[in-house]
Amino acid sequence: MVPTVPSPRRPLDTGHSSDFGHPSHASRAVRHWYENELGWPTVPGTPVDLPTGLRFDVLDAPVEAGYAALRHLVPGSPVAVRADRMRILVAAGSADELPGLLDWLEWGALALDLRAIGEGGRIEAPLPPGTPAPGTLAHGTPRLAGTPVHVPGPAPAPVPVDMSVKTSMDTAVDDSQGAAVWLRPPEPGCEVEPSLPTLSALGGGVGGAPDLVRLVDTMATECHRIRLRRSCAQPLALS
């Protein structure tokens, strides 16, 4: 069965829906949600970007690799998708740890489609839940972020996950528009840091936070599998 994006958890209370008809109005509404509802800083300008390295860093990988790693997260761990990429928020400073961590896990010698965005970086701000997203449904009805849409291409291979993960992951993004959306949105009024994967001494996250080592190892493994499949799919060169 093709996974779909679940219905939005709550509408974005930023005024009349017609305010989204103009790009500047939409940007103001999105910025308001991040700065006033979440207390997150944003980067000046349009479109709205979120700075990394302050409250969180980001692991960026193919959706399939990210999907396999969701079992290592807790329900409140924010995850976004943009086109065929998944962005998992991790503890600030994790981007600096990634090269050494990959070496320690013996993945450092391979070219993996896994990158970290940390201090000095930025990501496109995913649309808040309930925000009109680019594109329309039938009869010209505006599509809201979180509205069910079909995922192009084959669905990722299933992985063993518990029910909480499956509930969070019965979603994907229509990459025809390319807008970033939340797969697991952050909760207004809740501090995000305790839910972010972080390094730990003995395989258990600090204060119950997810373990960054297991997360990275799983994502690296899946990135390597994707790399192998692509290599096998290449036609043999004839001399």
Side-chain angles (χ1 to χ4, degrees), residues 21 40 56 67 95 174 193 201:
W40 292 11
F56 56 82
Y67 173 64
D174 177 3
E193 286 82 359

Side-chain angles (χ1 to χ4, degrees), residues 81-83 124-127 133-134 143 173-182:
V81 285
R82 185 181 188 279
E124 175 187 344
L127 295 172
R143 178 164 61 83
V173 171
D174 177 3
D175 63 5
S176 62
Q177 299 298 330
V181 299
W182 285 111

Side-chain angles (χ1 to χ4, degrees), residues 225-236:
R225 288 175 178 169
I226 294 171
R227 178 172 174 266
L228 291 178
R229 285 200 300 270
R230 290 174 179 172
S231 297
C232 293
Q234 294 294 328
L236 294 177

Side-chain angles (χ1 to χ4, degrees), residues 65 68 71 102 105 107 110 112 114 214-229:
R71 66 179 182 271
L102 288 173
L105 292 169
W107 290 112
L110 299 177
L112 301 175
L114 171 63
R214 293 177 180 175
L215 179 72
V216 168
D217 192 33
T218 298
M219 295 180 75
T221 299
E222 293 303 317
C223 285
H224 182 51
R225 288 175 178 169
I226 294 171
R227 178 172 174 266
L228 291 178
R229 285 200 300 270

